[in-house]
Amino acid sequence: NAGVTQTPKFQVLKTGQSMTLQCTQDMNHNYMYWYRQDPGMGLKLIYYSVGAGITDKGEVPNGYNVSRSTTEDFPLRLELAAPSQTSVYFCASSTPTGRRTEAFFGQGTRLTVV
Amino acid sequence: GQQLNQSPQSMFIQEGEDVSMNCTSSSIFNTWLWYKQDPGEGPVLLIALYKAGELTSNGRLTAQFGITRKDSFLNISASIPSDVGIYFCAGQLQGAQKLVFGQGTRLTINP
């Protein structure tokens, strides 16, 4: 069972470049999340989705876009990368089965913007 | 947005010591989760709690869902070097859909 898979694991971008961070889950979870984690810091929610076709902003959405066309995939788009977006990005998924909500994380994408 | 106050932010202990950390909020939660993040890895779920007062163990780890539903506690007994990492609490607010995460407790162990 693969769980939550993120690609790429590492990426270096030049300022102004664009890229998409991929996230896919095979657990048929409704909820998916994107977080960023700056060095020595906690997790900040960028965007989340409660199901295909539904997305909403988190704490730090500026500079990012998301889409959720399928249950499995939740890509994160950086349109004009900036050095301030250098961080580790984590995708997670969860499903509220009855009252039980447990989130599972991918291994992360380490992004450097130079 | 809703904040979880996780404390302490960091701990420096000797191997073999017990560890306690907690998360508190002014709001009521339906679910409390505790995660551990090893260096260079994603957070991994340790313990999930679903009822007020619930006490659950996972090896040397024990977590409790506070009676008021506004807090949760994680204890680690007889710490060992592999316990090093960042511990996060997370909660699902009553009536809400997404999870809220604490800022993490960074645990360092001196051998």
Side-chain angles (χ1 to χ4, degrees), chain A residues 31 33 35 37 39-45 48 50 57 59 90 94 96 99-108 110, chain B residues 3 30-31 33 35 37 39-45 48 50-51 69 86 88 92 97-104 106:
Chain A
Y31 298 81
Y33 312 79
Y35 293 90
Q37 185 178 33
M41 304 296 286
L43 299 166
K44 293 184 180 178
L45 183 63
Y48 68 103
V50 301
K57 296 178 180 179
E59 303 170 65
F90 289 103
S94 71
R99 293 176 55 211
R100 295 181 176 267
T101 299
E102 298 175 4
F104 297 89
F105 285 81
Q107 290 297 299
R110 285 148 186 80
Chain B
Q3 294 293 323
N30 284 338
T31 300
L33 307 173
Y35 289 83
Q37 184 180 27
E41 302 290 330
V44 174
L45 182 65
Y50 300 103
K51 291 193 308 185
R69 298 173 64 190
I86 304 175
F88 291 100
Q92 183 189 25
Q97 294 171 321
K98 63 180 173 69
L99 288 172
V100 178
F101 277 82
Q103 290 303 298
R106 183 180 297 273

Side-chain angles (χ1 to χ4, degrees), chain A residues 81-103:
Chain A
S84 61
Q85 293 177 305
T86 294
S87 190
V88 181
Y89 291 82
F90 289 103
C91 178
S93 72
S94 71
T95 185
T97 305
R99 293 176 55 211
R100 295 181 176 267
T101 299
E102 298 175 4

